[in-house]
Amino acid sequence: MEAAAREHIEEIRRTKFSIGGDHNPLIEDLHQAVKNLSAELYAKDVHFLMELIQNAEDNDYLEGVDPSLEFVITSEDITNTGVPATLLIFNNEKGFSSKNIDSICSVGRSTKKGNRKHGYIGEK
């Protein structure tokens, strides 16, 4: 199962984002569009934290599991990008399906859209 998930992600990287594949001239336009959209959506610094909490609320959990969400700030640069700290987020959800991965790699194609009646809060 893990191999299939990795293969799915690699396929998205190659075909959708031109990572390790042919260059797509629309990539820069899409990058700028998402950058501008997210700047408007997340104008307040704290908004992205609220989105993470909403996502945890909307997640699927195994039967009998008490949902948990944990934020840890470490002074280590575990990403090797030169930042002074790293925010780690832990959640005991079931995990992403292929459909969820496709959705999170897209704009405007949330798997939560139209599901407010099922208790989903977020749908961006």
Side-chain angles (χ1 to χ4, degrees), residues 26-41 107:
L26 292 175
I27 291 293
E28 184 58 29
D29 289 342
L30 291 172
H31 172 75
Q32 291 302 323
V34 171
K35 184 177 170 183
N36 291 337
L37 176 63
S38 63
E40 290 177 26
L41 279 175
V107 177

Side-chain angles (χ1 to χ4, degrees), residues 38-39 41-52 87:
S38 63
L41 279 175
Y42 305 112
K44 295 181 181 173
D45 290 343
V46 73
H47 190 88
F48 88 96
L49 289 173
M50 294 303 295
E51 284 288 330
L52 293 170
L87 173 63

Side-chain angles (χ1 to χ4, degrees), residues 12-76:
I12 291 171
R13 289 170 53 92
R14 262 190 324 279
T15 60
K16 190 168 190 163
F17 299 108
S18 299
I19 298 171
D22 295 332
H23 175 71
N24 182 340
L26 292 175
I27 291 293
E28 184 58 29
D29 289 342
L30 291 172
H31 172 75
Q32 291 302 323
V34 171
K35 184 177 170 183
N36 291 337
L37 176 63
S38 63
E40 290 177 26
L41 279 175
Y42 305 112
K44 295 181 181 173
D45 290 343
V46 73
H47 190 88
F48 88 96
L49 289 173
M50 294 303 295
E51 284 288 330
L52 293 170
I53 293 168
Q54 261 185 353
N55 287 344
E57 177 69 24
D58 293 344
N59 287 340
D60 291 325
Y61 297 88
L62 294 172
E63 191 173 323
V65 169
D66 289 330
S68 70
L69 178 65
E70 182 179 0
F71 295 90
V72 175
I73 298 176
T74 174
S75 59
E76 292 182 52

Side-chain angles (χ1 to χ4, degrees), residues 76-119:
E76 292 182 52
D77 176 15
I78 65 171
T79 61
N80 292 323
T81 57
V83 294
T86 304
L87 173 63
L88 303 171
I89 302 154
F90 300 96
N91 179 234
N92 63 342
E93 67 162 329
K94 282 195 322 191
F96 280 166
S97 67
S98 292
K99 187 176 178 181
N100 296 141
I101 293 169
D102 292 340
S103 173
I104 204 166
C105 292
S106 302
V107 177
R109 297 183 189 158
S110 174
T111 56
K112 300 175 190 175
K113 244 183 188 142
N115 284 319
R116 281 189 185 253
K117 63 182 177 245
H118 296 290

